[in-house]
């Protein structure tokens, strides 16, 4: 498997020409890099006008590897080939290097780029990426990978320090300015022709891919200290989201939480992040703080709230769980209303983390929660209440990873171990490590509450002077609601979404028909591929597709639908493409986890059909089975099922013209 690494952008607050002068001092050897033994120039070329300078070097490295491994490999040094292309006119230096030693067993490819800062011409940007592909290495593939990762991380860390060392050296020598390149009056107008300095090789113009990267200072200021490989994971996952989610991506802090939750395993982090982004979109969680209003019963009887911050600047949330009538709240509100309230608390926590990051001048990505259990007894172990708690834990764990910095559990009574036994299996192991549990008044001694929270913000019920958290009390039974009322309330809460879900089977696409009366209307779509890969089509027909007919003998639709009843096929199997209906948008293949937005300006009135079809890999066998038989066959294989979440809207021609005028 190919390992890829991407560093953040490093910014030198010095002009490009001065940085290039410092860079050249690294050769032929550099005492600041002990493993860099020597280098020699193999070929050198320069354009006729002197604007482009190309150098090919061979570098000799003494890699920090075990002597046993070197003996088995039969080498003491590793050789790399490096090609530098300096464009003085464009103020860029592109560097490409790869290993010569063991190139048939290990392929290391590195790209570096120096360029003038796009917003400040007196600054210089540096970006670095690399890939590692170990095919075989005498059975030591894992060891070689670890050595390579260590060397790469070390080189990234040392790179900026070395340039700054030579910049300081230049300053000590009185060199603080290097003039920019300007064409001479007698230079030829074209810079394509080259003249050899040592030989006559072909001039290579490297074009590094433009990748969205992060400034190293920004990472340290807002995200915290990360290793080079962690920085690489963040940048690569961010880049993947920009490519697959059409620019609609979460903030870097949010991406980083999911990476940390999976120990920076990119594939695992990407999977849970995509699931969470789909969940947030489906339930409009991004707008929860603006749209959710807590019911009065929560204001009166919910014993929790945000309260200042801890000694590390983390937002502090206090919950008097022992004083809370969990049964009364569940009976009065229902499980889903409580869940939505907890989600609003978490959304508020994310907002407070951002604010505290700005206030304290350092990254604050999580909060501290203080839970007081005084009063906890067996009535809190009421089964529906525990079920609601487990449901809340499940949703929060999946969508707000690494947001809890510390959980202080105070005055835990004897019944607490019973509750802990019930809920702890549902809590992530990394989260459980953040729990500090105090029985009785143990929190008042050394290692207790005062180690984490300033004395002046300790609430009154714990011996402090602040009176902030309501005492709660029993919810009056007159506020209890019937099971039917609660069920209807739960359904309405989570169906308040503009998105619909549908399953797509092999041989059974999902289709949506839109009738267009006015030409030049605009059809818009926004969908997420939750599972599997699909192909999206847009068709036009002059006649209306008929919905599935019911079989009069059995009273059921003649077409097969998914178990959830959310798969609809409208195009009749007897229709012929190009005769009965036509394709108006090129097919779009969409992979699992992608978010797709698009629009189509209609040219004719009629019926437009949006279709999501199961993506069949090239070369897979096709069949001529009838659609129903094909569906029945596909139902036997779980991998033949995809799932999409979608929203479509038609903007009328008048409205579209109005929007166009406003935009222009």
């Amino acid at each position: 498997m190919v390992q890829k690494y991407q560093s953040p952008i490093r910014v030198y607050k010095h002009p490009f020409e001065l940085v290039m002068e410092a860079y050249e001092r690294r050769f032929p050897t550099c005492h600041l890099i002990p493993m860099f033994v020597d280098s020699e120039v193999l070929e050198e070329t320069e354009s006729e006008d002197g604007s482009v300078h190309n150098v090919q070097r061979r570098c000799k490295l003494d890699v920090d590897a075990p002597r046993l491994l070197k003996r088995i490999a039969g080498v003491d040094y590793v050789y790399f080939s490096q090609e530098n292309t300096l464009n003085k006119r464009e103020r860029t230096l592109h560097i490409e290097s790869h290993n010569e030693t063991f190139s048939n067993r290990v392929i290391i490819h590195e790209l570096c780029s120096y360029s003038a800062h796009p917003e400040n011409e007196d600054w210089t940007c540096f970006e670095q990426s690399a890939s590692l592909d170990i095919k075989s290495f005498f059975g030591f593939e894992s060891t070689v990978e670890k050595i390579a990762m260590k060397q790469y991380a070390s080189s990234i860390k040392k790179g900026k320090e070395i340039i700054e060392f030579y910049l300081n050296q230049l300053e000590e020598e009185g060199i603080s300015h290097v003039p920019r390149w300007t064409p001479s009056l007698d230079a030829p107008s074209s810079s394509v022709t080259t003249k050899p300095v040592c030989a006559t090789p072909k001039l290579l113009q490297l074009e590094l891919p433009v990748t969205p990267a992060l400034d190293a200072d920004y990472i340290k200021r807002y995200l915290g200290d990360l290793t080079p490989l962690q920085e690489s994971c963040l940048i690569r996952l961010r880049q993947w989201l920009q490519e697959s989610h059409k620019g609609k991506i979460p903030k870097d802090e949010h991406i980083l939480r999911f990476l940390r939750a999976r120990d920076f395993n990119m594939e695992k982090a990407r999977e849970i992040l995509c699931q969470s982004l789909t969940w947030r979109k489906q339930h409009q969680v991004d707008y929860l703080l603006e749209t959710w209003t807590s019911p009065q019963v929560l204001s009166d009887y919910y014993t929790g709230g945000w309260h200042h911050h801890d000694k590390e600047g983390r937002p502090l949330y206090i919950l008097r769980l022992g004083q809370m009538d969990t049964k009364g709240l569940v009976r009065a509100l229902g499980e889903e209303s409580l869940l939505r309230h907890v989600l609003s608390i978490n959304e508020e926590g994310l907002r407070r983390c951002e604010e505290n990051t700005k206030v304290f001048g350092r990254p604050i990505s999580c909060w501290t929660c203080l839970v007081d259990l005084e009063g906890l007894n067996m009535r809190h172990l009421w089964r529906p209440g525990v079920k609601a708690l487990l449901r809340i834990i499940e949703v929060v764990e999946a969508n707000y990873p690494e947001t809890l910095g510390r959980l202080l559990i105070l005055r835990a009574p004897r019944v607490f171990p019973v509750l802990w036994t019930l809920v702890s299996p549902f809590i992530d192991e990394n989260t459980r490590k953040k729990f500090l549990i105090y029985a009785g008044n143990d929190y008042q001694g050394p290692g207790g509450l005062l180690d984490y929270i300033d004395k002046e913000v300790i609430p009154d019920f714990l011996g402090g002077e602040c009176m902030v958290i309501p005492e709660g009390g029993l919810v009056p039974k007159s506020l209890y609601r019937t099971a039917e009322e609660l069920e209807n309330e739960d359904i309405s809460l989570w169906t308040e979404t503009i998105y619909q879900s549908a399953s797509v089977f092999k041989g059974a696409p999902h289709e949506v028909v839109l009738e267009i009366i006015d030409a030049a209307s605009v059809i818009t779509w926004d969908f997420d591929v939750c599972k599997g890969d699909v192909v999206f089509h847009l068709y036009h027909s002059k006649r209306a597709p008929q919905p599935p007919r019911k079989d009069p003998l059995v009273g059921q639709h003649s077409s097969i639908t998914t178990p959830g009843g959310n798969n609809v096929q409208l195009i009749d199997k007897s229709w012929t493409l190009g005769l009965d209906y036509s394709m108006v948008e090129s097919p779009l293949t969409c992979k699992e986890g992608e978010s797709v937005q698009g629009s189509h300006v209609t040219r004719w009135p009629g019926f437009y059909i949006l279709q999501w079809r199961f993506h069949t890999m090239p070369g897979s066998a096709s069949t001529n089975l009838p659609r129903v038989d094909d569906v029945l066959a596909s139902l036997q294989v779980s991998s033949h099922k995809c799932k999409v979440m979608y929203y479509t809207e038609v903007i009328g021609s008048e409205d579209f013209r109005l929007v166009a005028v406003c935009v222009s």
Side-chain angles (χ1 to χ4, degrees):
M1 179 178 178
V2 179
Q3 296 286 345
K4 296 182 179 180
Y5 311 100
Q6 173 75 54
S7 74
I9 292 178
R10 315 284 173 177
V11 178
Y12 301 99
K13 297 182 179 181
H14 299 278
F16 175 80
E17 289 73 21
L18 190 63
V19 172
M20 290 299 96
E21 188 74 19
Y23 174 79
E24 285 300 323
R25 297 201 171 196
R26 295 177 55 170
F27 302 101
T29 185
C30 178
H31 70 279
L32 298 173
I33 312 177
M35 71 172 181
F36 188 42
V37 178
D38 195 13
S39 66
E40 62 173 318
V41 175
L42 301 179
E43 295 175 323
E44 190 171 359
T45 61
E46 189 174 75
S47 60
E48 289 192 7
D49 64 357
S51 64
V52 179
H53 187 205
N54 182 266
V55 179
Q56 294 185 14
R57 290 186 179 91
R58 185 186 229 194
C59 301
K60 182 180 180 182
L61 305 181
D62 183 8
V63 178
D64 183 16
R67 291 186 60 84
L68 176 62
L69 185 59
K70 288 185 176 181
R71 184 172 298 179
I72 293 174
V75 298
D76 289 322
Y77 301 103
V78 174
Y79 291 90
F80 271 76
S81 175
Q82 181 191 86
E83 181 159 7
N84 293 5
T85 302
L86 173 63
N87 190 319
K88 301 175 185 177
R89 183 193 301 271
E90 300 295 334
R91 304 180 77 201
T92 61
L93 171 65
H94 295 324
I95 307 165
E96 182 177 23
S97 60
H98 59 86
N99 62 304
E100 295 179 1
T101 309
F102 302 120
S103 58
N104 61 330
R105 296 180 178 272
V106 179
I107 300 175
I108 301 174
H109 187 214
E110 184 179 52
L111 296 173
C112 300
S113 173
Y114 288 88
S115 61
H117 195 287
E119 298 177 1
N120 189 329
E121 62 180 13
D122 291 328
W123 291 0
T124 304
C125 296
F126 171 71
E127 191 172 359
Q128 182 177 16
S129 64
S131 64
L132 169 67
D133 184 9
I134 302 177
K135 301 182 180 299
S136 65
F137 204 86
F138 312 106
F140 290 91
E141 290 79 11
S142 178
T143 302
V144 172
E145 181 177 351
K146 290 179 181 178
I147 292 173
M149 291 171 64
K150 179 181 177 182
Q151 298 287 357
Y152 178 73
S154 176
S155 68
I156 291 178
K157 186 176 180 180
K158 291 286 292 184
K160 186 175 182 181
E161 298 175 3
I162 293 168
I163 292 295
E164 301 221 346
F165 171 83
Y166 287 120
L167 285 169
N168 291 333
Q169 191 179 79
L170 287 169
E171 185 178 358
E172 292 172 359
E173 296 174 6
I175 303 174
S176 59
H177 175 73
V178 176
R180 293 189 188 181
W181 177 87
T182 54
S184 60
L185 296 177
D186 57 347
S189 58
S190 172
S191 60
V192 176
T193 307
T194 64
K195 63 178 182 179
V197 177
C198 294
T200 56
K202 178 181 177 182
L203 179 63
L204 176 64
Q205 291 284 357
L206 291 177
E207 292 187 4
L208 294 182
V210 179
T211 58
L214 306 175
D215 180 77
D217 293 334
Y218 159 81
I219 290 179
K220 186 174 183 179
R221 169 66 177 80
Y222 291 98
L223 305 179
D225 292 326
L226 301 174
T227 68
L229 298 182
Q230 290 172 344
E231 290 177 348
S232 173
C233 288
L234 173 60
I235 293 168
R236 289 166 55 211
L237 183 51
R238 182 177 184 260
Q239 179 181 354
W240 181 87
L241 287 169
Q242 286 183 323
E243 294 171 351
S244 62
H245 284 64
K246 312 305 178 187
K248 296 172 60 177
I249 62 171
K251 296 179 180 179
D252 298 321
E253 302 94 305
H254 197 68
I255 299 173
L256 189 57
R257 289 186 179 99
F258 284 84
L259 283 167
R260 283 174 171 150
R262 291 297 179 267
D263 296 323
F264 287 87
N265 183 308
M266 271 222 17
E267 292 303 317
K268 293 181 179 179
R270 182 170 64 181
E271 180 182 357
I272 61 173
L273 176 56
C274 287
Q275 292 172 356
S276 179
L277 292 178
T278 301
W279 171 83
R280 293 183 68 89
K281 178 185 287 188
Q282 182 177 10
H283 300 300
Q284 302 290 284
V285 178
D286 288 339
Y287 311 103
L288 188 59
L289 291 179
E290 292 79 24
T291 59
W292 168 250
T293 302
S294 296
Q296 187 61 42
V297 67
L298 276 173
S299 301
D300 294 339
Y301 298 100
Y302 188 85
T303 56
W306 290 102
H307 177 62
H308 296 278
H309 54 78
D310 68 6
K311 288 187 174 181
E312 297 178 55
R314 295 169 173 171
L316 175 63
Y317 190 84
I318 298 179
L319 179 65
R320 301 186 67 180
L321 185 60
Q323 302 298 313
M324 187 182 296
D325 181 10
T326 52
K327 179 178 180 179
L329 289 175
V330 173
R331 291 290 300 272
L333 294 170
E335 180 180 314
E336 298 302 330
S337 287
L338 278 175
L339 171 59
R340 182 159 295 200
H341 180 63
V342 173
L343 296 182
S344 71
I345 293 172
N346 280 270
E347 290 296 304
E348 174 67 15
L350 295 178
R351 187 185 66 80
R352 286 174 177 259
C353 283
E354 288 186 21
E355 291 180 352
N356 286 16
T357 295
K358 297 175 183 177
V359 170
F360 291 97
R362 60 178 183 273
I364 295 172
S365 60
C366 54
W367 50 79
T368 292
C369 184
L370 186 156
V371 180
D372 179 33
L373 295 183
E374 185 182 55
L376 189 77
N377 54 46
M378 291 303 295
R379 67 183 173 87
H380 290 90
L381 301 182
W382 180 57
R383 183 178 294 273
V386 174
K387 175 177 173 291
L389 177 60
L390 295 178
R391 165 73 173 146
I392 290 170
I393 291 174
E394 178 187 23
V395 174
V396 171
E397 282 278 304
N399 298 286
Y400 300 92
E402 295 298 316
T403 54
L404 180 65
R406 181 179 295 112
L407 180 64
L408 302 169
I409 299 177
L410 274 55
R411 302 197 284 191
R414 292 183 178 180
V415 73
F416 173 72
V418 180
L419 179 62
W420 179 250
T421 301
L422 291 173
V423 302
S424 60
F426 297 89
I427 302 174
D428 181 76
E429 182 180 355
N430 289 334
T431 303
R432 291 202 300 267
K433 293 177 181 178
K434 302 172 184 177
F435 286 28
L436 296 175
I437 303 173
Y438 301 89
N441 293 321
D442 291 348
Y443 70 92
Q444 297 178 348
L449 195 57
L450 285 174
D451 284 6
Y452 307 104
I453 302 174
D454 289 327
K455 183 178 180 180
E456 55 268 22
V457 300
I458 293 178
D460 57 339
F461 58 86
L462 294 175
E465 300 178 356
C466 291
M467 299 179 63
V468 289
I469 308 301
E471 294 186 2
L474 295 176
V475 178
K477 291 186 177 180
S478 59
L479 298 178
Y480 285 13
R481 305 173 75 176
T482 66
E484 183 178 357
E485 289 174 331
L486 291 176
E487 182 179 356
N488 292 334
E489 176 73 12
D490 288 349
I491 291 173
S492 67
L493 278 176
W494 294 110
T495 54
E496 294 173 357
T497 174
I498 60 175
Y499 291 90
Q500 301 182 57
S501 296
S503 297
V504 180
F505 291 103
K506 186 175 182 181
H510 179 72
E511 296 163 346
V512 174
V513 64
L514 302 171
E515 183 177 6
I516 301 297
I517 297 175
D518 296 328
S521 297
V522 179
I523 300 173
T524 65
W525 55 84
D526 178 359
F527 66 88
D528 285 27
V529 185
C530 307
K531 179 181 179 181
D533 301 341
V534 300
V535 180
F536 175 70
H537 296 84
L538 181 64
Y539 299 107
H540 172 262
S541 173
K542 293 181 179 179
R543 56 173 170 155
Q546 297 299 315
R549 296 185 299 273
K550 289 187 177 181
D551 188 329
L553 297 178
V554 296
Q556 297 292 331
H557 291 304
S558 59
S559 67
I560 299 294
T561 61
T562 66
N566 58 358
N567 175 271
V568 179
Q569 300 174 61
L570 298 169
I571 298 178
D572 194 284
K573 64 181 180 180
S574 64
W575 281 19
T576 302
L577 182 63
L579 182 63
D580 299 288
Y581 65 112
S582 59
M583 184 183 299
V584 294
E585 285 281 347
S586 300
L588 180 63
T589 301
C590 311
K591 296 192 175 297
E592 181 175 324
E594 289 190 2
S595 178
V596 180
Q597 299 82 40
S599 61
H600 175 81
V601 180
T602 62
R603 297 177 59 187
W604 314 281
F607 299 89
Y608 288 80
I609 306 158
L610 291 80
Q611 181 194 80
W612 290 268
R613 180 180 292 276
F614 180 89
H615 179 232
T616 303
M617 297 299 293
S620 60
S622 60
T623 68
N624 294 319
L625 291 173
R627 292 178 74 183
V628 172
D629 291 343
D630 198 7
V631 174
L632 290 173
S634 69
L635 287 173
Q636 307 301 319
V637 185
S638 60
S639 62
H640 288 177
K641 177 182 177 181
C642 302
K643 186 176 180 181
V644 295
M645 183 185 76
Y646 66 91
Y647 168 71
T648 64
E649 183 180 5
V650 176
I651 302 176
S653 56
E654 291 298 325
D655 293 334
F656 174 61
R657 281 194 287 269
L658 179 61
V659 170
V661 170
C662 293
V663 171
S664 61

